[in-house]
Amino acid sequence: MTPVLWRLLRPYRGRMAAAMGLQALAGLCSLLPWMLLAWLAEPLAQGQVQAPLLALLLLAVLTWLVSQALAAHQAHRVDADLCNDLRLRLLSHLQRLPLDWFGRQGQDAVARLLEQDVRALHQLIAHAPNDLSNLLVVPLAAMLWLAWLQPWLLLFCLLPLLLAGAGFLLLRSARYRDSVQRRNAALETLAADYGEFAHNLLLARQYPGAGVQRGVEASAAAFGEAFGAWVARVGHLAALVYVQLSTPWLLAWVLLGALLLDSLGVSLALGQVCAFLLLLRAMAAPVQVLGHGGDALLSSRAAAERLQQVFAQAPLAEGRATTPPADGAVRVSGLGHAYEGEEVLSDIDLQLPDGSLVALVGASGSGKSTLLHLLARYMDAGRGEIRIGGVALDEIPSAVRHRHIVLVGQQAAALEISLADNIALLRPDAAFDEIRQAARDACLDQRIMALPHGYDSVPGRDLELSGGELQRLALARALLSPAPLLLLDEPTSALDPQTARRVLRNLRQRGGGRTRVVVAHRLAEVSDADLILVMADGRIVERGEHKALLATDGAYARLWREQSRMEVAV
């Protein structure tokens, strides 16, 4: 049990102890019928029926079944409650982690954490404690009873159980660990490649013999090879272990032991032999759980360790400033940031007046989106300082920051609520006229009013929004918000040039006096910005207004000429 899980289990420890106690009672009661049957074997063979013992036998069976059902119910309730608590804590923690952490994990890592890894704890929480209770109580009680009946036969009958237990330990020893690790690694790679395949179905269909599909085929072949090697390595030993625990073998072993003792002059009553025949299998069942549940238990422990590593990731420190930012002015001094050791931003200094419209332009990979994410404090910079409205960004409390700064990213999304509520997400108390005006400014009102249910339409149920419509919906949401600082990362990349120009014109004319920082690739759309910042290789290489930048005949002028030639060619 990892420290994180042990702390999470604090509210549930009493319930888990109760489940283990019920399972121990169930284990003891599961033995009692076999003990009584062994006791009744000779009287029953002679046609004698002892009513009190039969009544006790029925009571033991009833208690066994009820206790086992209650133990399983209790353990699964703890499992369900813990997993729900764990998911909520994960979500809260993930919301405070830096954005670059998610980039390092890959696109499916968070989904695996919240679903596969949390679900993998099922064996560790719902079954392992009860199995442990059963494993300790049932064999011990059965051994004591059988030792009282015939200790020599017990010693003989323990041999297959001890050999099976040793086999399970050997299968999970360092000798075979590399085969298991290669099998698990190949399976994880296969799952990741299948996820990549699912995310790129169009590409896979266009080029079926290359790229994504070839990667899946290669990882499937690698998994087949690793799995085959694992089976070849452990198959013979595993088969022998399970033969040792099989019912026919155990019954034959008991009879063999009885015959050996009889040949040595040790006589056994029919009841004693029946007791061994019935109870040895009960002793073997918990041992067999070690084999069936071993892999699941190891997977659960690995999942718990991954979850612990996530919780160990330091979140963004909560700001403690008591004075909110005065406005949307931005000041950046000596800003630098590295990603996995590679410098992506260097020596960024800028000052943006409140209410200004600022354009960030430059080639792909020049650092524009990274700068925007730092301004929104999706992550903290490696060095330098950012001040918003006169307050250090890292000192602004999260609740204040979310109201003060809104970032519209490249990947927009809609919730399954009405379009009106989607637009009003950042300002739920907005009047309907204000919602419509924000949609007009985002060039979306006409499209919505043409729908049968208008603003009451629900995305995913009443309509499917295109990429451009999702972008305009996100822009309308930002325009309606009260935030004095809007950060817009290519907000018109999925729009046609005419609509994009109308949206950006509205953004300038109806910006409401707030600061707007727009990342754009098409220079013509932001040529009227108050300030244009040109980025290259993580630095601001030019800054100024459109005409002044053209006059300097530098990087901006070259980009302008290239795009102009391309537009003429089209």
Side-chain angles (χ1 to χ4, degrees), residues 500-534:
R501 282 192 291 270
R502 287 168 50 205
V503 167
L504 291 171
R505 184 181 66 244
N506 293 340
L507 180 66
R508 178 172 182 82
Q509 294 176 350
R510 302 189 181 93
R514 57 183 123 197
T515 306
R516 292 138 293 163
V517 182
V518 183
V519 171
H521 272 300
R522 295 193 288 253
L523 302 185
E525 295 174 358
V526 292
S527 58
D528 59 347
D530 300 320
L531 175 65
I532 299 174
L533 302 173
V534 185

Side-chain angles (χ1 to χ4, degrees), residues 171 175-176 178-180 182-183 223-240:
L171 286 172
R175 180 178 178 181
Y176 296 97
D178 58 338
S179 298
V180 175
R182 283 199 299 270
R183 180 203 64 183
F223 172 71
E225 181 180 350
F227 187 81
W230 171 73
V231 170
R233 185 90 188 277
V234 306
H236 301 302
L237 178 58
L240 288 174

Side-chain angles (χ1 to χ4, degrees), residues 328 330 350 352 356-360 371-372 375 485-491 507 514-519 533:
V330 177
L350 56 89
L352 311 180
S356 59
L357 175 62
V358 181
L360 275 175
L371 178 56
L372 227 59
L375 292 176
L485 175 58
L486 300 184
L487 306 173
L488 311 171
D489 193 357
E490 298 188 49
L507 180 66
R514 57 183 123 197
T515 306
R516 292 138 293 163
V517 182
V518 183
V519 171
L533 302 173

Side-chain angles (χ1 to χ4, degrees), residues 360-368 519-521 523 533-536 556 559 563:
L360 275 175
V361 301
S364 297
S366 57
K368 305 184 298 297
V519 171
H521 272 300
L523 302 185
L533 302 173
V534 185
M535 297 194 66
Y556 180 83
L559 283 172
Q563 291 189 9

Side-chain angles (χ1 to χ4, degrees), residues 99 368-378 401-402 404-411 426 474 477-478 481 483 485-489 517:
L99 188 65
K368 305 184 298 297
S369 295
T370 301
L371 178 56
L372 227 59
H373 292 155
L374 291 173
L375 292 176
R377 209 199 171 197
Y378 282 6
R401 187 177 75 250
H402 294 324
H404 199 86
I405 305 171
V406 170
L407 187 147
V408 177
Q410 297 180 25
Q411 302 297 324
L426 301 176
R477 189 182 295 153
S481 76
L485 175 58
L486 300 184
L487 306 173
L488 311 171
D489 193 357
V517 182

Side-chain angles (χ1 to χ4, degrees), residues 10-241:
R10 185 181 299 277
Y12 310 109
R13 291 176 192 172
R15 290 162 59 187
M16 289 190 70
M20 293 178 70
L22 285 168
Q23 185 60 52
L25 177 61
L28 290 173
C29 290
S30 71
L31 296 177
L32 193 56
W34 310 124
M35 294 177 182
L36 292 173
L37 283 173
W39 204 343
L40 294 170
E42 291 187 20
L44 288 174
Q46 299 171 6
Q48 300 175 6
V49 178
Q50 300 184 25
L53 289 179
L54 287 177
L56 183 59
L57 186 149
L58 293 175
L59 179 61
V61 170
L62 181 62
T63 306
W64 168 21
L65 297 176
V66 171
S67 299
Q68 185 161 285
L70 290 175
H73 174 74
Q74 185 80 300
H76 282 78
R77 282 291 303 272
V78 170
D79 174 52
D81 292 344
L82 173 66
C83 288
N84 182 62
D85 185 21
L86 194 56
R87 286 190 176 98
L88 292 176
R89 285 197 57 183
L90 263 175
L91 287 172
S92 175
H93 188 71
L94 290 171
Q95 287 177 343
R96 297 181 292 124
L97 288 182
L99 188 65
D100 50 1
W101 178 86
F102 293 90
R104 292 193 298 271
Q105 303 309 305
Q107 58 184 350
D108 293 325
V110 175
R112 187 181 72 174
L113 281 170
L114 292 174
E115 288 302 322
Q116 296 179 23
D117 284 351
V118 173
R119 191 167 58 243
L121 298 179
H122 173 77
Q123 182 72 21
L124 192 63
I125 304 302
H127 294 286
N130 285 357
D131 289 343
L132 179 63
S133 177
N134 218 29
L135 184 63
L136 293 175
V137 171
V138 172
L140 181 60
M143 283 173 60
L144 292 174
W145 172 258
L146 295 178
W148 178 74
L149 287 178
Q150 178 45 256
W152 293 111
L153 183 56
L154 173 63
L155 290 175
F156 183 80
C157 291
L158 285 178
L159 285 177
L161 303 186
L162 294 175
L163 289 174
F168 282 136
L169 293 176
L170 181 59
L171 286 172
R172 282 157 183 80
S173 66
R175 180 178 178 181
Y176 296 97
R177 193 171 300 152
D178 58 338
S179 298
V180 175
Q181 289 175 346
R182 283 199 299 270
R183 180 203 64 183
N184 293 343
L187 182 59
E188 288 186 10
T189 302
L190 179 61
D193 286 347
Y194 264 114
E196 187 73 16
F197 179 81
H199 285 298
N200 297 278
L201 283 175
L202 182 59
L203 186 63
R205 289 183 179 181
Q206 287 177 331
Y207 304 99
V212 178
Q213 182 172 338
R214 182 173 294 177
V216 173
E217 292 172 351
S219 59
F223 172 71
E225 181 180 350
F227 187 81
W230 171 73
V231 170
R233 185 90 188 277
V234 306
H236 301 302
L237 178 58
L240 288 174
V241 168

